[in-house]
Every structure is written in C-alpha cells, then in structure tokens.
Amino acid sequence: TELDAAILSSRFGVTQNYDGVAARTAVLARLSVKLGDTPEFLDETDRNRLERDLATFRAQQTHKAELIERFKRMNAVLRNSLPAFPLLVDRALSDTRLDEALRDTLNRYALDVLGHTNTSDAQTSLRLEQQRARLLADAERLPHGVAGALRNILTHGDIIVSTKPPLEALTRDIITQPTAAMAQALTEHYSQAYQRASVKASRYRQLLYVASLLLASYLAIAILRLARASGALALSNRTLASQVDALNRTQSELRLLANVFTNAAEGMVITDGAGRILAINPAFTRITGYRLEDVHGRTPSILSSGRQDAGFYAQMWSALSRSGKWQGEIWNRSRGGTIYPEWLSISAVHDDDGSPTHYIGIFTDISERKSAEAHINHLAHHDALTGLPN
C-alpha cells in the first residue's frame, strides 16, 4: 500500500523524486528474502507449499518492479513536458507577431492536447492532427524565433499526447497488481502451517507430561525408601531440632525488637530504599499526629515545615550516601500544623551489594529542651526582677 501511494505521489507531482518508491521497493525485497527462511519446526509439506507460494509472490513482485522502472522512465519524460507546455503556449499567445487566426488555432490545439490526455477519443485525435499540421505549416512563414517557439510547443504536445494515456494505463496496471492478495494468501498458509505445528507440539507436551508424572512417581518411591533408613531419620530429627531452636531464638529476638519498637519513647519510622514509609511506632503517631494509614507509602517530606532549604536536605542525603548515617536538629510540622523541633538520627540498611534497601529514622521532640534553653538564655542576659537586659 505504501509503495502504491508513493507511485501515485510521484505520478501527480506531490514528490519530485523516486526516493520513496526506491525505499519501499527495497523494504519489500528484504522482506521477501526474510520470508524465504521458513521455520524448521513446520511440516515438510507445509514448508514446500510456502516455498511455492513465495516463489510465485517473488515473480509477481519482480514483474511489478519492472513495471515501476518503465513508469519512472515515462513519468520523467512527461514530467518535463507537462508543466512546460502551458507556459510555452501562454508565452506564444502573448506574442504580437501572431495573427488572430493563428492564436485561435494555437489556443484550441493546447486545449485539445490537455483534453486528449483525459478523453483520448478518435474525434479529438483527428482534430489534433489537423491543428498540428496547420500550426506546422504556419510556422514556415513566420520569423525564425516565432517558428522555433511553435515547433517547441508541438514537440511537447506530441510528447504529452503520446505519453500520458499509456502512462495512466501503466499506473493503473501497477496499482492493480495482485501482490497484496498473494501476500495475504501467503500469510494465511503460514498461519495454517503454524497451527498444525502447534497441535503437534501440544501432543509432544502431553507425552512429556505423562513422562514427568512417571518420573515423579519413581522419585516418590525412592524418597519413601530412603525415609525408612534409620540413620537418615535420626539426622533429620537432629536437624529439625536445631532448626526449631534457631526459630525459637529468632522469634524471641523478634518479640524483643517489636517490644522495643512499640514501647520506645522516641518516634521511629522505617522506609524502603526509595524513602517510602513502611512502618511507624506509636511514639511517631503521638509526636506527629499521623497514623500508619495516613503515611504508608508516602515519604517523610509530609512532615516538612519548610524551614530547611533544599541545600540542607542535599547535605543530609550526601552524608547518608557517604557514611550511611546522619543526625541533627530539624524542624517539622505535625498533622495539626504545629511546627516543632526534633533531634533526628537516620541510619541506612544496605544489601550485600552495598545498595540501600531501607532507612531507619529515630527522632525525639526537643520542644521542651529548646524552651528551657531559651529561658536560661533569657535569665543569663536579663535582670530577674525587672526583666530588663543587664
């Protein structure tokens, strides 16, 4: 379809070259070669059929390519004459050395030339011959320059009359070539062959499934026999007891850690490697007012008070990247809108490759401490009785 569109585009002057035609012809040639590599899993009968279809398709494609080469030659000739013809006629009609009768004959000849390319009837052809002969005879008695212009017009008119109708027929012939239908048939035949190959493969899969069941049965029997061996059973019991002890120790440690996490006075938050919140402890909720369902999947930036600029957070992440730890004073905002100071410690948890998988933040509300410091500072620099600076 794209090739036919490129042909029509070139024919009607939308494009001034044949690059589009050449590019699409090359693509079809490459696809034709690629289609020749039929899959090995197809049945031999299907492969032979596809190869015959492909041979027919390639022959038709070659024929279309030959028609396209003829089209390019004829179209190049017509493209040279068709735009020049009306310009030469207009220039000649404006020449004052032509009498009124000759102008009338030339005008009717030009109209018949352009009309003949669309109708091509016998009456128009006869009239064209008569007009051409009259113009050729008149050219003999005219000055050299005018006569040459008339002969040039007649030459281009002959080219248009003799070239455009067969070029139109050739264009229709190219567009109506059955290559698309052949390609569709080739596609259908390949689909049918692939379907048959799929059915055959399905049978093989069923056989492999049965074989797998038989093998699994044999392995089950072997395992049962091994299970009867007292030594293996004793080893399994010792291993199991060791695993149970390890599991109990792990559960005790987990309970202890969970108890610390739950009952800690400091707020705790655990995020993933991207900074999204996974877990918080009750102290986090008490200090910030946010519950887990409020912050889960979000980043701690929801607590930002806006008092620290981007440079502050950039230094924080830089320290975490370098040493895996950071601590410092930061101002945050609770859910109720209260801005409070806190002392925050962040630790990164890394995997075996050194990439951070989680971040653990522990913070304490230091509002009372900041207030006490401010009060002490006031007392140090003001008179206790009058409140005036000392």
Side-chain angles (χ1 to χ4, degrees):
T1 302
E2 292 179 0
L3 176 59
D4 292 344
I7 291 290
L8 293 174
S9 178
S10 179
R11 168 65 189 86
F12 294 107
V14 178
T15 56
Q16 301 302 316
N17 54 54
Y18 301 102
D19 293 346
V21 176
R24 286 159 178 81
T25 303
V27 170
L28 288 173
R30 289 195 297 272
L31 289 175
S32 180
V33 172
K34 190 173 182 180
L35 285 171
D37 187 16
T38 52
E40 293 291 337
F41 59 79
L42 295 182
D43 185 81
E44 184 177 358
T45 302
D46 289 324
R47 292 180 65 188
N48 293 337
R49 181 186 184 186
L50 287 172
E51 289 172 0
R52 289 194 300 271
D53 290 347
L54 184 58
T56 304
F57 175 75
R58 284 174 172 170
Q60 188 64 42
Q61 192 177 5
T62 301
H63 176 62
K64 184 167 185 173
E66 294 171 353
L67 295 179
I68 290 173
E69 290 302 316
R70 286 176 51 197
F71 164 84
K72 288 196 282 190
R73 292 193 297 269
M74 295 177 66
N75 193 49
V77 173
L78 184 62
R79 184 180 290 176
N80 182 51
S81 294
L82 197 58
F85 179 78
L87 296 177
L88 293 172
V89 171
D90 288 342
R91 191 180 302 163
L93 290 174
S94 64
D95 195 328
T96 57
R97 291 174 290 181
L98 296 181
D99 56 40
E100 192 63 28
L102 185 55
R103 280 198 188 88
D104 182 65
T105 302
L106 178 58
N107 188 51
R108 284 187 285 108
Y109 170 77
L111 293 175
D112 285 340
V113 165
L114 298 176
H116 178 268
T117 59
N118 297 320
T119 59
S120 301
D121 60 285
Q123 184 177 0
T124 305
S125 299
L126 178 60
R127 189 167 59 249
L128 274 172
E129 287 296 326
Q130 295 172 349
Q131 293 167 349
R132 185 182 185 282
R134 192 176 307 133
L135 290 171
L136 197 59
D138 290 340
E140 297 298 330
R141 60 180 179 76
L142 292 172
H144 178 73
V146 180
L150 281 178
R151 293 190 186 95
N152 194 18
I153 290 172
L154 293 174
T155 299
H156 283 291
D158 293 342
I159 292 173
I160 294 172
V161 170
S162 63
T163 303
K164 190 174 180 183
L167 181 59
E168 297 288 352
L170 179 59
T171 303
R172 286 192 297 271
D173 193 13
I174 293 173
I175 300 303
T176 57
Q177 287 296 306
T179 48
M182 289 182 176
Q184 181 64 29
L186 188 62
T187 302
E188 292 174 356
H189 293 166
Y190 178 82
S191 298
Q192 295 166 2
Y194 185 85
Q195 181 64 29
R196 284 189 285 269
S198 298
V199 172
K200 187 176 181 180
S202 178
R203 295 196 189 101
Y204 284 133
R205 283 194 295 269
Q206 292 173 359
L207 292 174
L208 288 173
Y209 179 73
V210 173
S212 299
L213 289 177
L214 293 174
L215 181 59
S217 300
Y218 172 78
L219 292 175
I221 294 173
I223 292 172
L224 289 175
R225 289 177 178 176
L226 291 174
R228 297 189 186 102
S230 58
L233 182 58
L235 179 62
S236 298
N237 288 335
R238 288 194 298 270
T239 303
L240 181 60
S242 176
Q243 291 175 348
V244 169
D245 290 339
L247 180 61
N248 289 333
R249 288 194 301 271
T250 302
Q251 288 178 343
S252 297
E253 293 172 359
L254 288 176
R255 282 195 296 270
L256 177 60
L257 293 175
N259 189 46
V260 171
F261 183 80
T262 302
N263 298 310
E266 294 84 3
M268 294 185 181
V269 57
I270 301 175
T271 73
D272 60 13
R276 292 183 293 266
I277 296 175
L278 300 178
I280 61 173
N281 70 343
F284 179 98
T285 301
R286 176 174 50 79
I287 296 172
T288 67
Y290 286 98
R291 297 171 298 176
L292 180 60
E293 55 266 28
D294 300 325
V295 297
H296 188 272
R298 303 177 67 179
T299 65
S301 62
I302 63 171
L303 302 175
S304 176
S305 65
R307 290 196 178 186
Q308 287 82 28
D309 57 11
F312 175 86
Y313 293 103
Q315 291 178 357
M316 174 194 295
W317 284 107
S318 177
L320 282 171
S321 300
R322 288 195 311 272
S323 62
K325 295 180 179 179
W326 179 89
Q327 63 178 356
E329 182 179 308
I330 187 171
W331 288 82
N332 276 338
R333 185 189 303 273
S334 69
R335 185 176 184 179
T338 303
I339 296 177
Y340 61 93
E342 67 179 38
W343 184 261
L344 172 64
S345 297
I346 304 176
S347 298
V349 180
H350 299 86
D351 59 14
D352 295 338
D353 297 329
S355 301
T357 60
H358 297 82
Y359 293 97
I360 300 174
I362 302 175
F363 62 93
T364 304
D365 186 348
I366 58 173
S367 298
E368 293 181 1
R369 192 184 78 185
K370 297 289 287 186
S371 178
E373 289 176 355
H375 181 64
I376 292 172
N377 184 63
H378 180 82
L379 292 177
H381 297 89
H382 294 76
D383 181 77
L385 181 62
T386 64
L388 296 174
N390 54 15

